[in-house]
Amino acid sequence: AEMVRGVRAALPAAPLAAERLPIRRLRRLPPGGATRQFLAGNPEEPNGALEMYLQVGPDEGDDWLHLLLLSQMIDKAVYAELRTKQQLGYIVQCGSTEADGVRGLVFIVQSSVQPPPELEARLEAFLRLFRGTLLLTSDEELDTYRESLAAQMQDVDQRADGQASRLWAEVA
């Protein structure tokens, strides 16, 4: 308590006035896509990476649960295909995201064997095929994913690093 008082005395602060608060803006992305490629500053760097963001839409009702379930299904399958089968790289993942009330899916693939444009082509090919996989998914398989998701929702903050990550995401 003494240390906190000392810090507050040394670093006086007050909330920003409403007109000085930063305005965060999110844009609706047009259908299709845009590719931006950035070159590493180190020409000796063997790794390249792809981050693909698919904007889904406004965060409404329980839609986030459906997106989370979908992202778990895709994550398992994309890892099996691009990481295990095609051996493109060590990092292959899919997750759901939310920014200012807009949900999306994010894919990340890091590779030292293929450049980003090829990673993008492979990921898009996977997604085209995965659509059929979704259509053929049995109710029993969906139940397994639902149960896994329910267990994860109940298993919050079993470790300090999980709690820190969750709370930091709320702050940032």
Side-chain angles (χ1 to χ4, degrees):
E2 183 66 30
M3 185 168 82
V4 171
R5 282 194 290 279
V7 169
R8 284 185 179 158
L11 303 170
L16 285 175
E19 65 273 2
R20 294 193 61 208
L21 289 174
I23 298 171
R24 291 182 62 180
R25 293 190 172 110
L26 212 58
R27 302 273 189 247
R28 178 187 301 259
L29 298 177
T35 300
R36 292 186 185 155
Q37 188 169 345
F38 301 96
L39 298 177
N42 178 0
E44 302 298 317
E45 174 58 58
N47 290 298
L50 166 73
E51 179 180 77
M52 181 185 289
Y53 171 74
L54 303 177
Q55 191 176 65
V56 174
D59 184 14
E60 297 175 344
D62 288 338
D63 286 352
W64 68 276
L65 284 169
H66 298 120
L67 188 61
L68 189 56
L69 182 70
L70 177 63
S71 74
Q72 285 189 345
M73 294 173 74
I74 294 174
D75 186 51
K76 182 178 176 183
V78 75
Y79 185 89
E81 177 62 29
L82 299 185
R83 167 69 174 95
T84 305
K85 186 176 176 186
Q86 295 185 30
Q87 298 189 356
L88 290 181
Y90 286 107
I91 299 175
V92 176
Q93 61 191 38
C94 169
S96 62
T97 184
E98 182 271 332
D100 292 331
V102 177
R103 293 277 173 188
L105 285 173
V106 176
F107 296 87
I108 298 173
V109 182
Q110 179 185 334
S111 178
S112 61
V113 295
Q114 293 293 342
E118 180 61 23
L119 298 176
E120 182 176 17
R122 302 265 186 112
L123 180 57
E124 286 178 350
F126 163 82
L127 289 172
R128 283 190 297 276
L129 291 174
F130 188 76
R131 185 177 188 156
T133 302
L134 274 179
L135 293 172
L136 297 174
T137 302
S138 69
D139 289 342
E140 293 79 21
E141 205 174 343
L142 275 175
D143 286 342
T144 302
Y145 280 105
R146 284 185 195 112
E147 290 167 11
S148 172
L149 183 58
Q152 287 177 15
M153 293 291 122
Q154 294 173 356
D155 190 26
V156 178
D157 300 339
Q158 294 297 314
R159 295 177 28 183
D161 64 337
Q163 182 181 26
S165 294
R166 181 179 58 81
L167 294 175
W168 185 252
E170 291 294 322
V171 171

